[in-house]
Amino acid sequence: MKDFKTSFFFLRLPIAISLAGHGLVRIPKLSAFSDWMVTSMEKSAIPTVLIVPFSYILPVLEAVLGILLLLGFKIKYTVYSVLVLMSILILGSCSIENWSAIEAQLLHSFYLFGLFWFYEKYKTEKQ
């Protein structure tokens, strides 16, 4: 690949902005977001004692991981971290049978896989 750095930046830009955007819009209204998440997970088998702290951590994780991805910091580990986060979100969505949310989360996961594949395939050429 002739210009890996530029191509890879524009490839990771949409997913990075999606993640950062999800987190950054929720941080100012963290308490309301937490209340919404607890209410939406009422029918879940996941105990509230786990949902409450996760609802406060999630927006921060999304924002930080999105910014790290945008900056290109430790790409491999950042993508792994986001895939783990997506898996946790998918588990939560399954527990309340929110199939449309799972579709969006899977789409993010497939995009991340493609990003990781592209990175692994072409990273040696950038050096």
Side-chain angles (χ1 to χ4, degrees):
M1 170 138 310
K2 193 169 188 167
D3 193 4
F4 172 84
K5 196 172 187 175
T6 303
S7 298
F8 193 63
F9 171 77
F10 284 108
L11 186 60
R12 70 180 192 267
L13 185 62
I15 194 81
I17 289 175
S18 176
L19 285 165
H22 270 88
L24 293 173
V25 300
R26 291 172 174 163
I27 288 173
K29 53 184 179 183
L30 209 46
S31 182
F33 174 73
S34 178
D35 293 342
W36 169 83
M37 183 176 268
V38 168
T39 302
S40 69
M41 299 293 288
E42 282 177 339
K43 295 180 182 176
S44 170
I46 302 169
T48 304
V49 70
L50 295 176
I51 295 169
V52 171
F54 183 74
S55 68
Y56 280 95
I57 294 168
L58 176 61
V60 175
L61 280 175
E62 289 172 324
V64 168
L65 290 171
I67 291 167
L68 291 176
L69 199 54
L70 185 65
L71 297 174
F73 182 78
K74 304 270 186 189
I75 292 293
K76 189 174 186 176
Y77 299 109
T78 302
V79 170
Y80 284 159
S81 299
V82 179
L83 284 168
V84 168
L85 179 61
M86 285 296 142
S87 298
I88 293 167
L89 293 174
I90 289 168
L91 176 66
S93 296
C94 285
S95 75
I96 58 170
E97 300 182 57
N98 187 349
W99 311 124
S100 60
I102 294 169
E103 290 173 10
Q105 293 155 348
L106 284 172
L107 185 60
H108 276 76
S109 299
F110 286 130
Y111 194 99
L112 287 158
F113 169 77
L115 187 66
F116 182 73
W117 177 85
F118 185 87
Y119 176 75
E120 285 295 305
K121 182 166 176 56
Y122 295 107
K123 74 177 178 180
T124 55
E125 292 182 22
K126 77 173 187 171
Q127 296 168 350

